[in-house]
Amino acid sequence: MTAVAGAPAATTAQRGTHRSTKPRRRGKSPVLTLIMLVMFGYAVLPLFWLLANSSKTSADLFSTFGLWFGGDFHLFANIADTLSYNNGIFLRWFGNTVLYSVVGAGGAALLATIGGYALAKYDFPGRKLLFAVVLGAISIPGTALAVPTYLLFSQIGLVDTPWAVLIPSLCSPFGLYLMRVYAADAVPDSILESARIDGAGEFRIFRTIALRLLAPGFVTVLLFSLVATWNNYFLPLIVLNTPDWFPLTVGLNQWNAQANSGTSGAVDATYSLILTGSLLSIVPLIIAFLVLQRFWQSGLATGSVKQ
Amino acid sequence: MRTLPSRRGVMTAGVATALSLALAACGGGSGGGATTAPAAAPSASAAVQDALSKPAELTFWTWVTGIEKTVARFQAKYPNIKVNVVNAGQSADQYTKLQTAIKAGSGAPDVAQIEYFALPQFALSKQVVNLAEHGSDALKDKFAPAAWGQVAINGGVYGIPQDTGPMAMFYRKDIFEKLKIEPPKTWAEFIEAAKKIKADNADNFITSIDPGDAGGVDSLIWQAGGAPFRTSGENQVSVTLATDPGVKQFVSTWGTLLGEKLVDPQPGWTDEWWKGMGSGKYAVWMTGAWAPNGIINSIPQTKGKWAVAPMPQYDAAKPMNAENGGSSVAVIPQSKNIPAAVAFAQWLNSDPEAVKSLNEEAGLFPATKTLLDDQAFRDAPQEFFGGQKINQVLGDASAAVKADWQYLPFQVYANSIFKDTVGQAIDGGGDLAGALKTWQDRISAFGTEQGFTLSSG
């Protein structure tokens, strides 16, 4: 059950990859179709499980078949319970996650775009070294940095504040690397040169020309960062203590830990709340993916220029 | 508290590892906290009493749902002290945070809940206050000896016992009656009962055993009279998983049960496991006295089908029992108001009003003799259990606990590698003795790296 929160990310990410890499073929291949169907089932089954079980009462949860709906359809009552449990803390967590994701991922994508563009298009001393450092940074998992990050933030008094989650989320070495590679091809030097001849300042060139050419890359990085911050668990777990600042991942896991040790007191049955909460928590990510993916695909064409 | 050390999902497995890393970083050092003033004449406990009437603000980390009600009672009685209750995460999650905050020198609470199995590592690295220096040792007689034994570490007192989990056998009355089996009084009878259940339906088991749950196996060894972990002095640790007589009894019983596939190696608290508990696939759950809430909340449809009995015995003439789970409340040296923190921890867990509230409003199984021996507590019928007075069984189970069990000063790490060693053997129905030896070797290797002097057998 704990894996539920992690599963949707893999699901959505996989779907994205398929979409972008699937070769557009004319004829139909039964083998490929079968493989696709299996993959589709693999991706969708956990989601279906989540949906089916979110609609059950606590009593049905452990007494009816897992991959189908229970006796009564209890989804809306479960949603109401989830939203109101513990003075509506779920909504607060939801808001926190949105804040961390929008500000964190948006900021990370923007910074990565600016940085990647600069690395790709400007020649300055130390450029190669800087790029090597970025490459190295990719290989350090965020989890390993969580404890040092805590110590650092503790020194400047930012522990247990939203900043402790937001600031690290703004750094995305992988996004920077991606944008550096993407900008090298997507922004032709000739356009920059002609813009300079026309008298445009560097920032204006970036804002009006480069940013548009980089839009598909930007959206890609945004999606990656969005998924990463939405599902971020370990960093907020370490740096936040007050449940009021928890994101959904940490909050839902707290509920799960509670249910798994019978510590939810004498009256609360939290399993159905966890399931419903997990379901609600992946909805925005799915919407973001569907909406942003369109920009991503249409953007691929706008980057081309006749050289 | 009522958690078993490994009762957690995918996410916390990583956390446990990270915690051991954090621990490794700490290296058992002093943790940089303020040291408590040497007990200045008789004033230590007087200072604690005085603190109750002075203004103070305390932060209390706990994950017990419903404990706010008990804390509210404290505030009503001592309005000068403001207590902020923070749920900073459960068990290993909270320990990770606590140790990071202690190491960072700021951000730790004044008072924190710490399970018995994790307390020694906080105590030996001086990350919690020695409450004996503040007069808390005077409370000793109020608590069940087994509970006090868990907080009295290395000559000091490092927490106030909050709740306990004496082991008991929760069983499906309906299944036992249908198959005309008496609840087993000895482990030999238990194996016979297991065979009958298996013979009736090959898909059913007398019980399950969680391959990831070190705490569960520790409890079974403890109940067999074992004492495989010993710490003496600051850094002498002995691990005798290969030679301890209690471990051998555990291996013989559970090796048979696993070898003949009479028990199901199945992680607890999962969807599948709860389904098995609800459907009658498992007839018995041997666990701590905190279990009823879990059953009532998770499988309400089994109302009236459960009963509770004492644990099966190796020697029925000398009944012996163990704890599973349970936790204490400790004071963190970083606190700016240690006397008030000590006063709060003492009141919360020993005042009769508080203890009653913890039991009734937060659902904790008591650690104090006052409540364990209270007639009203013992005679309260439990409706879900068909009106059985379960507290009589559980109270007796508490009295029978063998009090000399010790956990390792790095039990959190040891538990994190349980699944890869003993868990493998449980899963494969294989060589328990060999796996326990492997566990011992890895525990010893880690302990040596941490600067402990290990002896093993």
Side-chain angles (χ1 to χ4, degrees), chain A residues 2 59 62-64 66 150-151 154 233-234 237-238 240-241 243 253-254 257-265 268-269 271, chain B residues 1-3 7 9-11 18 61 65 86-90 93 96-97 100-101 104 106 269 271 274-275 297-298 301:
Chain A
T2 30
F62 296 121
S63 61
T64 56
Y150 179 95
L151 298 178
S154 170
Y233 174 72
F234 196 69
L237 174 75
I238 294 277
L240 300 175
N241 302 324
N253 191 52
Q254 191 174 78
Q258 243 172 48
N260 279 1
S261 59
T263 52
S264 43
D268 306 326
Y271 277 119
Chain B
M1 129 95 280
R2 293 174 284 180
T3 30
R7 188 189 306 155
V10 182
M11 289 171 171
W61 281 8
T65 319
V86 176
N87 182 345
Q90 181 149 344
D93 285 355
T96 312
K97 284 187 193 187
T100 323
S106 71
W269 304 87
D271 182 45
W274 273 122
K275 281 209 168 90
N297 287 329
S298 301
Q301 70 274 19

Side-chain angles (χ1 to χ4, degrees), chain A residues 3-14 46-47 50 227 231 278 281-282 285-286:
Chain A
V4 165
T11 313
T12 35
Q14 261 171 4
L47 284 179
L50 190 59
V227 173
N231 291 322
S278 305
S281 76
I282 59 169
L285 213 51
I286 292 175

Side-chain angles (χ1 to χ4, degrees), chain A residues 220-243:
Chain A
T220 310
V221 174
L222 183 67
L223 271 175
F224 277 131
S225 321
L226 202 63
V227 173
T229 33
W230 193 274
N231 291 322
N232 197 356
Y233 174 72
F234 196 69
L235 178 75
L237 174 75
I238 294 277
V239 296
L240 300 175
N241 302 324
T242 313

Side-chain angles (χ1 to χ4, degrees), chain A residues 10-51:
Chain A
T11 313
T12 35
Q14 261 171 4
R15 232 193 304 154
T17 329
H18 294 164
R19 216 32 107 73
S20 59
T21 55
K22 192 175 73 178
R24 295 197 173 270
R25 289 188 172 221
R26 292 234 165 222
K28 285 177 186 157
S29 155
V31 179
L32 279 183
T33 312
L34 194 70
I35 292 176
M36 275 304 293
L37 279 177
V38 170
M39 299 287 255
F40 178 76
Y42 179 77
V44 167
L45 218 55
L47 284 179
F48 180 74
W49 180 87
L50 190 59
L51 183 68

Side-chain angles (χ1 to χ4, degrees), chain B residues 303-328:
Chain B
K303 186 176 178 183
K305 293 181 177 168
W306 291 90
V308 59
M311 287 292 284
Q313 293 297 322
Y314 286 95
D315 180 355
K318 282 184 273 174
M320 218 187 286
N321 202 12
E323 296 273 346
N324 184 272
S327 65
S328 64

